[in-house]
Amino acid sequence: NHNRAVDFAAAPMKLDGNPVAEHLQYLMQFARHKKIFGIQVITDNQSHIRGLYAGELEATFHEAIDSASGMFGFRAKQNYDIIIAEVRPPLDANLYQLQKAAENCRMAVVKGGTILLLSPCLEGIGSKSFYELAERWDPETSEMPSGADSFGIHKLSRINKIVKSVHLLLYSSLKAGISEKVFFKSIADPQKTLDKLIAARENPSIALVRDASNTVLVSD
């Protein structure tokens, strides 16, 4: 199921046409003869409970969706030339987790635009196996050369696809060259970089996204 996330149709805050969600719905058919009591919990980035729904499983799920969408979703009025994405704890800890912030912003960036991620990544790359996958990854076909599925390939695949239409920059504590292996271009001075990006476009549209790993920009 996880590897179905290589498809861009598996987007944040999307269920219809989402191969991950639809596969999970299919699997639930095997439990259709059972009565399942569901408890749906919505938490914020500090693990505080912000919503709690109990009852019939599917009904409570959709109740929680309505609440979570209003809590974490933001409908952008336009697509932006530049998005400055601040990544907050705990998802700012390592390189492995950054894909979430990039995903949450990509739908509201113009083609050829820029996402500038600000994340300390004090724990380094996070997943060694994920990082090693990149050594065998084929960026042209966006898949493993052997065609074999491996846990974590959805992250490589999706970031690889994102950088083909959007510039993905990262300011972090990682040494130069480390993030490039998994398609994030590292920068040393975010202010100078931002100045250059602004100078390169006439009246660029810019958005600042707080807590980008938990804020989903939805564009019309």
Side-chain angles (χ1 to χ4, degrees):
N1 176 271
H2 222 63
N3 285 340
R4 291 171 185 260
V6 299
D7 191 333
F8 262 173
M13 289 193 171
K14 177 183 178 182
L15 290 177
D16 293 338
N18 182 329
V20 173
E22 290 182 345
H23 184 240
L24 289 172
Q25 190 67 35
Y26 165 75
L27 294 176
M28 285 302 297
Q29 294 179 17
F30 295 101
R32 64 184 180 276
H33 60 288
K34 297 182 179 180
K35 187 174 182 179
I36 301 175
F37 185 83
I39 301 175
Q40 312 287 346
V41 179
I42 302 171
T43 62
D44 61 20
N45 63 352
Q46 299 298 316
S47 297
H48 298 141
I49 294 177
R50 300 288 298 276
L52 178 64
Y53 302 88
E56 193 276 326
L57 185 61
E58 188 165 354
T60 54
F61 175 60
H62 285 285
E63 284 183 294
I65 286 173
D66 291 339
S67 179
S69 296
M71 195 178 304
F72 300 109
F74 181 85
R75 184 160 295 281
K77 296 180 179 180
Q78 65 181 93
N79 283 357
Y80 298 95
D81 296 304
I82 304 167
I83 291 182
I84 305 168
E86 175 197 45
V87 186
R88 293 183 177 178
L91 296 173
D92 65 342
N94 56 59
L95 188 60
Y96 183 74
Q97 296 293 350
L98 286 187
Q99 177 243 353
K100 295 181 176 68
E103 287 282 355
N104 290 346
C105 295
R106 71 168 181 85
M107 293 180 286
V109 184
V110 299
K111 188 173 182 178
T114 301
I115 299 175
L116 172 54
L117 293 162
L118 308 176
S119 179
C121 296
L122 295 178
E123 295 179 5
I125 59 175
S127 170
K128 185 177 179 181
S129 60
F130 155 73
Y131 201 67
E132 290 174 345
L133 278 176
E135 295 177 354
R136 297 176 285 149
W137 189 257
D138 185 345
E140 293 301 319
T141 60
S142 197
E143 62 184 22
M144 298 293 285
S146 63
D149 288 339
S150 298
F151 191 78
I153 64 169
H154 67 290
K155 287 182 178 285
L156 286 175
S157 175
R158 295 178 75 93
I159 293 298
N160 184 207
K161 290 177 182 176
I162 289 173
V163 298
K164 289 182 178 179
S165 60
V166 173
H167 300 288
L168 195 56
L169 309 181
L170 171 63
Y171 176 66
S172 72
S173 64
L174 297 170
K175 292 181 180 179
I178 291 179
S179 65
E180 277 77 1
K181 189 172 180 180
V182 287
F183 315 123
F184 293 90
K185 182 179 179 182
S186 62
I187 61 170
D189 189 323
Q191 186 60 62
K192 286 184 179 180
T193 299
L194 187 58
D195 290 343
K196 288 180 180 179
L197 290 172
I198 293 173
R201 292 177 178 265
E202 184 177 352
N203 298 320
S205 54
I206 305 173
L208 171 62
V209 181
R210 300 289 190 184
D211 194 13
S213 293
N214 287 298
T215 303
V216 181
L217 294 185
V218 182
S219 174
D220 293 325

